[in-house]
């Protein structure tokens, strides 16, 4: 099936003034790779051992819904949300009409990135946010993000179907917007062979370089879904592990309190720690080292999202040694409780406050007073 | 007001250095004040006091190894209070790919006498000859137009701990011996045997030279030949190696260069500010090439070698650290990609850069932090100091890369005037064309000095080359830059992306 090549789609209404500061978002989700395994087109040779992905469509869709309905930028309107995604997800615009978005080919991505960066270049107080979900390959310092037409030109797949992630971020840094955040939800498995087979190319930088004066002015950070050399995990037809944890952390685990007015804002440093904790809630990931995020660049001044009220904090209640957990009943002063039985830690989300936790077992009762504070809190009953 | 002292108990996993901390009022609903401070991580040495009103406060400390300590403390209504901080979590800490235990930073002089005697006896048993010839370069790697590597041992400045006469070839027998020397539990210390070679030489990267009548040089860097000059090898036994856990520490004490005048350094053909160490797996398919900074004063560096994670592309995990805790803390923040935290050491970074003649390599590390400083926020002419670093320490490629970055990616050098009121036109031309041309020259000069000592230099090189790609430059220069861009990509794909020093995996 040929991908549809429509104009990329904005999900937002145009701003009254194009040059006013605003948040501009670009979302790219690549599930379908026609030239990789099971893609339906001629498999590229040599085969790089990659196939279709299950999570990007769902991750892109749920993130767009969150952006449209819940994102509250600090002091800025949402200026634009632009989407490129493999077919299969439902998107609606600001008026509630269903829209068909463009597919993430290199040509469409070039145009989308060009328009997105042009909007970000209108005002220094704007915030540029980008999310990518799809295949990624790495070697050393080089990180390439694969697009839908990767492999169409089997002689030069990287320059014709991949993004040089660092080159892209470099180019965007030259734009006026002082706040820039990239969320890259892709594997970072080291695959030097993949690069070596095709002339060790990085991929397209997308934005042409030119001298600028933005180093030291722009605060740019990149939150990778996983650390170098590791996989980023997805769930079939569900949002990825990273996206699920990201949206959960946006409720409060990733929040930092602004000293100027006491407001809670989601900030990348704290967001990263909350996401890592939330991923560990998944039993298969607990203490396995399978997926930990990585935050690069300057992020201290980035305010991603303003909370409406106090943060909701992930809390983990456990016993040490862990074997006792199955025979212990827990009660929290919030009114939450868990009876004897479950073998794993007790996970709950509590509003930011001080709490009293009690544990009851055959050995008697214990009490711990502990605050629930971002990025997360851990309550350990020791025996 | 209560004078509050914070300290951190150094655990076996903490290194001497600095941690950055913040304290703020807990459960505030409106405006409050955050106070910042630094804590030396050294035997419970406390901070300077932080003055706080009685009440509840959050204290958060970030260690240079990436760990976060966060606690809720209650400041009493006393004249003074002391808090020693624990962990945010008893169990869950974001793992570092190679957190290193703290082992006392020993020098050969501090090795136990018994170990020394055992070493001497072992050497006598193996009857190691005083000198062995160096290995010739591997077949097929001779560069056209250059002499073949000599077959005799090269002379060079020896390590302080190893007498000049004991140039020793590290054979497999020696590896077994050195394992026994270190202790019976170290024979299986590493699953990958390695040998340690010291390399030196100059980078001469262009495959053709000017001089052939009627032809202008066709500059072309061939990445796979970039390190060929360095395969004239000499081998050393790591006689001052110590163990700690599952890894081997090799202390390097460098001999000071005599510094009379800077020009004498520049004119010395063999003057480099670093050594290269080659770790060659006996049964592996690759080398690990480590660039060791050589300082102007005796300032030991340490290499730590351990087996890498089986899933990694690299068999050996190599780290380098300075003895100086301040420089080391800076490096560790950079190692974790935590530029934000490294920026909290911006004051220290200025001092380190200013003291470039004492420690030029650390000065380059400090410069990597300073280039991210917001314009007009620092009072020192640090941009000029970076220019000076490149001028007086030409053999450090990082300095020229940083200078080029200032020219291409920052606006403030063009507006800077030195204390005498003169704009340093030679460092920072006032027009864009002049800056572009100078930056191009600096990049081409830097690549001839070898790969950057710090891997951040490769990222900046790539970034600067992307900008120069579309600049108005002479065709020949653009051709050279295109060739360099391929080389930088080649190096970038082979460098350890975590360690702040450049450590490369090279195919055999």
């Amino acid at each position: 099936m040929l991908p549809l090549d429509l104009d990329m789609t904005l999900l937002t209404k145009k701003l009254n003034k194009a040059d006013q500061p605003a948040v501009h978002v670009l979302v790219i989700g690549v599930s379908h790779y026609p030239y990789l395994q099971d893609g339906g087109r001629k498999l590229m040779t040599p085969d790089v051992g990659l196939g279709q992905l299950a999570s990007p469509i769902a991750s892109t869709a749920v993130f767009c819904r969150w952006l449209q309905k819940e994102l509250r930028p600090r002091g800025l309107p949402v200026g634009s949300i632009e989407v490129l995604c493999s077919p299969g997800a439902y998107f609606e615009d600001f008026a509630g009409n269903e829209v068909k978005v463009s597919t993430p080919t290199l040509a469409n991505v070039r145009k989308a990135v060009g328009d997105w960066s042009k909007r970000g270049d209108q005002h220094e107080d704007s915030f540029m946010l980008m999310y990518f979900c799809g295949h990624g390959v790495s070697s050393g310092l080089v990180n390439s993000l694969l697009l839908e037409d990767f492999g169409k030109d089997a002689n030069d797949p990287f320059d014709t179907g991949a993004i040089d992630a660092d080159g892209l971020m470099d180019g965007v840094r030259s734009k006026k917007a002082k706040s820039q955040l990239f969320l890259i939800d892709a594997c970072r498995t080291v695959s030097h062979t993949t690069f070596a087979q095709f002339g060790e190319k990085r991929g397209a930088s997308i934005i042409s370089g030119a001298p600028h004066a933005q180093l030291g002015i722009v605060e740019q950070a990149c939150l990778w879904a996983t650390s170098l050399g590791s996989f980023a995990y997805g769930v079939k037809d569900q949002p990825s592990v990273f996206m699920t944890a990201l949206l959960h952390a946006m409720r409060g685990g990733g929040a930092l309190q602004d000293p100027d007015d006491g407001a809670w804002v989601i900030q990348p440093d704290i967001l990263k720690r909350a996401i890592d904790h939330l991923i560990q809630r998944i039993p298969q990931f607990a203490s396995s080292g399978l997926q930990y995020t990585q935050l690069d660049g300057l992020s201290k001044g980035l305010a991603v999202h303003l909370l409406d009220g106090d943060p909701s904090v992930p809390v983990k209640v456990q016993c040490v040694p862990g074997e006792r957990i199955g025979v212990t009943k827990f009660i929290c002063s919030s009114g939450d409780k868990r009876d004897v039985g479950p073998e794993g830690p007790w996970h709950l989300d509590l509003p930011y406050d001080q709490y009293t936790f009690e544990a009851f077992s055959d050995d008697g009762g214990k009490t711990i007073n502990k605050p629930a504070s971002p990025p997360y809190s851990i309550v350990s009953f020791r025996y | 007001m209560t004078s509050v002292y914070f300290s951190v108990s150094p655990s076996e996993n903490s290194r001497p250095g600095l941690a950055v901390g913040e304290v703020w009022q807990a459960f505030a609903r409106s405006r409050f004040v955050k106070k910042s401070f630094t804590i030396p991580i050294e035997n419970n040495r406390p901070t300077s006091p932080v003055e706080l009103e009685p009440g509840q406060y959050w204290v958060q400390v970030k260690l240079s190894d990436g760990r976060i300590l966060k606690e809720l403390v209650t400041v009493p209504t006393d004249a003074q209070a002391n808090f020693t901080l624990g962990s945010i979590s008893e169990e869950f800490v974001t793992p570092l790919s190679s957190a290193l235990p703290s082992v006392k930073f020993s020098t050969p002089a501090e090795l136990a006498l018994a170990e020394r005697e055992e070493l001497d006896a072992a050497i006598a048993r193996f009857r190691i000859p005083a000198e062995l010839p160096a290995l010739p370069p591997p077949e097929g790697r001779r560069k056209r137009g250059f002499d073949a590597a000599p077959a005799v041992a090269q002379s060079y400045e020896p390590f302080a701990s190893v007498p000049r006469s004991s140039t020793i070839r590290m054979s497999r027998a020696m590896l077994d011996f050195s394992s026994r020397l270190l202790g019976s539990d170290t024979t299986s210390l590493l699953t990958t045997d390695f040998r340690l070679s010291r390399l030196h030489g100059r980078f001469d990267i262009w495959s053709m030279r000017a001089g052939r009548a009627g032809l202008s040089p066709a500059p072309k860097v061939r990445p796979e030949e970039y390190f060929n000059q360095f395969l004239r090898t000499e081998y050393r036994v790591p006689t001052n190696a110590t163990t700690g856990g599952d890894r081997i520490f090799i202390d390097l004490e460098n001999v000071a260069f005599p510094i009379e005048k800077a020009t004498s350094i520049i004119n010395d053909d063999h003057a480099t500010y670093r050594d290269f160490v080659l770790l060659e797996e006996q049964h592996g398919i690759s080398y690990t090439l480590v660039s060791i900074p050589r300082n102007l004063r005796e300032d030991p560096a340490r290499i730590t070698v351990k087996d890498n994670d089986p899933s990694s592309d690299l068999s050996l995990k190599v780290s380098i650290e300075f003895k100086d805790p301040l420089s080391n803390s800076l490096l560790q923040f950079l190692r974790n990609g935590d530029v934000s935290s490294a920026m909290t050491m911006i004051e220290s970074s200025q001092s380190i850069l200013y003291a470039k003649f004492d420690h030029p390599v650390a000065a380059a590390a400090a410069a990597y932090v300073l280039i991210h400083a917001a314009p007009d926020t620092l009072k020192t002419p640090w941009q000029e100091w970076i220019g000076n670093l490149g001028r007086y320490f030409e053999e450090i490629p990082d300095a020229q890369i940083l200078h080029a970055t200032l020219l291409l990616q920052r606006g403030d050098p063009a507006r800077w005037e030195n204390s005498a009121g003169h704009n340093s036109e030679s460092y920072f031309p006032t027009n864009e064309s002049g800056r572009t041309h100078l930056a191009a020259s600096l990049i081409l000069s830097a690549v001839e000095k070898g790969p950057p000592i710090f891997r951040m230099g490769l990222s900046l090189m790539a970034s600067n080359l992307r900008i120069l790609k579309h600049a108005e430059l002479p065709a020949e220069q653009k051709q050279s830059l295109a060739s360099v861009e391929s080389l930088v990509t080649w190096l970038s794909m082979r460098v350890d992306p975590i360690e702040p020093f450049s450590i490369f995996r090279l195919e055999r």
Side-chain angles (χ1 to χ4, degrees), chain B residues 339-353:
Chain B
V339 182
S340 291
S341 292
M343 294 294 288
T344 58
M345 295 183 66
I346 203 132
E347 296 295 331
S348 310
S349 298
Q350 292 175 90
S351 306
I352 295 170
L353 176 58

Side-chain angles (χ1 to χ4, degrees), chain A residues 139-141 170 192 200 202 212 215-216 228 257 259 273 280 292 299 310 318 352 354 373-374 378 382, chain B residues 27-29 31-32 56 58 68 70 89-92 95 340 374 408-409 463 466 489-490 492-494 497:
Chain A
S139 182
L141 294 175
D170 236 11
H192 184 71
E200 295 197 350
R202 290 175 178 254
H212 61 82
L215 191 61
L228 191 69
Q257 199 172 16
R273 287 153 58 191
Q280 300 306 302
Y292 287 103
S299 58
D310 283 342
Q318 63 186 8
Y352 172 65
Q354 292 244 39
S373 169
I378 297 183
R382 297 186 177 274
Chain B
F27 303 109
R29 287 292 185 273
R31 186 184 176 85
F32 56 92
Q56 279 194 314
W58 287 110
I68 309 287
K70 182 180 178 182
S89 153
E90 290 85 352
E91 285 139 42
F92 177 69
S340 291
L408 295 175
Q409 303 193 41
S463 177
R466 282 185 207 108
T489 298
W490 189 89
S492 298
M493 288 190 175
R494 286 159 174 80

Side-chain angles (χ1 to χ4, degrees), chain A residues 259-260, chain B residues 23-25 28 30-36 52 57:
Chain A
D260 285 338
Chain B
V23 57
W24 67 95
Q25 187 184 345
S30 57
R31 186 184 176 85
F32 56 92
V33 175
K34 261 191 186 181
K35 294 189 177 181
S36 301
L52 298 171
Y57 292 86

Side-chain angles (χ1 to χ4, degrees), chain B residues 273-288:
Chain B
Y273 288 89
R274 53 163 151 198
D275 297 317
F276 286 92
V277 170
L278 190 72
L279 300 176
E280 182 183 4
E281 300 161 45
Q282 291 286 354
H283 304 293
I285 58 172
S286 62
Y287 299 102
T288 302

Side-chain angles (χ1 to χ4, degrees), chain B residues 5-169:
Chain B
Y5 295 83
F6 297 105
S7 60
V8 175
S9 287
S11 70
E12 62 177 42
N13 283 331
S14 63
R15 299 170 169 148
L18 276 186
V20 294
E22 286 183 314
V23 57
W24 67 95
Q25 187 184 345
F27 303 109
R29 287 292 185 273
S30 57
R31 186 184 176 85
F32 56 92
V33 175
K34 261 191 186 181
K35 294 189 177 181
S36 301
F37 54 92
T38 54
I39 303 181
I41 306 300
E42 198 174 354
N43 297 328
N44 274 323
R45 203 172 125 201
T47 56
S48 301
V50 182
E51 303 298 322
L52 298 171
E53 296 282 357
Q56 279 194 314
Y57 292 86
W58 287 110
V59 185
Q60 180 168 290
V61 171
K62 182 179 272 193
L63 304 180
S64 60
D65 62 8
R67 288 181 301 137
I68 309 287
L69 312 180
K70 182 180 178 182
E71 282 189 15
L72 185 68
V73 301
T74 302
V75 173
T77 50
D78 294 330
Q80 181 177 314
N82 299 295
F83 295 103
T84 301
L85 303 175
S87 293
I88 189 172
S89 153
E90 290 85 352
E91 285 139 42
F92 177 69
V93 175
T94 304
L96 301 174
S97 59
S98 54
L100 301 177
S102 173
V103 174
K104 187 177 181 303
F105 203 105
S106 62
T107 67
E110 291 166 352
L111 278 176
L113 181 60
E115 288 177 11
R116 274 287 194 209
E117 288 171 348
E118 190 177 339
L119 170 60
D120 290 342
I123 289 176
R125 267 202 306 278
F126 278 83
R127 297 196 201 96
I128 295 165
E131 278 190 45
L132 282 176
L135 287 180
E139 288 298 318
R141 290 196 183 189
R142 291 187 180 179
K143 195 178 286 199
R144 283 176 298 166
F146 295 94
D147 295 333
V152 295
Q154 300 294 304
S155 63
Y156 62 95
E157 294 280 4
F159 295 124
S161 62
V162 180
R164 187 181 278 273
S165 62
S166 62
T167 306
I168 297 167
R169 185 183 196 143

